[in-house]
Amino acid sequence: MTIRNPANLSRSWKGRFLVDTGATESVVPASALAEIGVEPRRQREYELADGSRQQFSIATAELEVMGEIVGGTVVFGPDEAEPLLGCTALESAGLEVDPRNQTLKRLPAIPLKAGRPVADA
């Protein structure tokens, strides 16, 4: 997967990401984001797999996976943590997990349906 600085697309970082269907956002080592000039925009609290909660810095970046390019929130993760591809980016790219083969596959079409509005934005 490739992460790009949206303010300067020539600045990018490539890495292997674990697809985590339990994670909403994508986690990238903070040092990799700093290397390409992506700066934290704010802090957000996340619940970790063990149930604990922790604050992390976040920003927006361009993510490329399997030739699909999407913009999304990236979490500034610990440098020793494995990069994670979360559900938001996965779904935005029109990809889904094939659990039988443990691979990613393209959706035939990305759902774009009007549902019932929950609240006005």
Side-chain angles (χ1 to χ4, degrees), residues 9-117:
L9 296 175
S10 67
R11 297 186 72 183
S12 65
W13 180 80
K14 289 184 182 184
R16 293 186 56 84
F17 282 64
L18 175 69
V19 176
D20 186 347
T21 58
T24 302
E25 319 284 20
S26 296
V27 179
V28 182
S31 61
L33 292 170
E35 179 183 313
I36 64 171
V38 174
E39 296 180 8
R41 300 286 300 192
R42 63 178 291 232
Q43 293 269 311
R44 184 177 285 163
E45 185 172 351
Y46 288 94
E47 184 175 328
L48 305 181
D50 66 4
S52 65
R53 293 182 178 201
Q54 188 171 343
Q55 291 274 336
F56 289 98
S57 294
I58 61 169
T60 302
E62 184 177 275
L63 299 88
E64 181 176 351
V65 57
M66 292 178 57
E68 297 293 331
I69 297 171
V70 298
T73 301
V74 289
V75 176
F76 286 69
D79 290 337
E80 67 278 1
E82 183 169 24
L84 300 177
L85 173 59
C87 287
T88 303
L90 190 68
E91 291 174 3
S92 293
L95 302 170
E96 68 181 357
V97 175
D98 180 345
R100 176 172 289 159
N101 298 317
Q102 295 187 341
T103 59
L104 293 178
K105 66 179 187 179
R106 294 182 195 286
L107 292 169
I110 298 171
L112 184 61
K113 303 179 216 176
R116 290 217 260 218

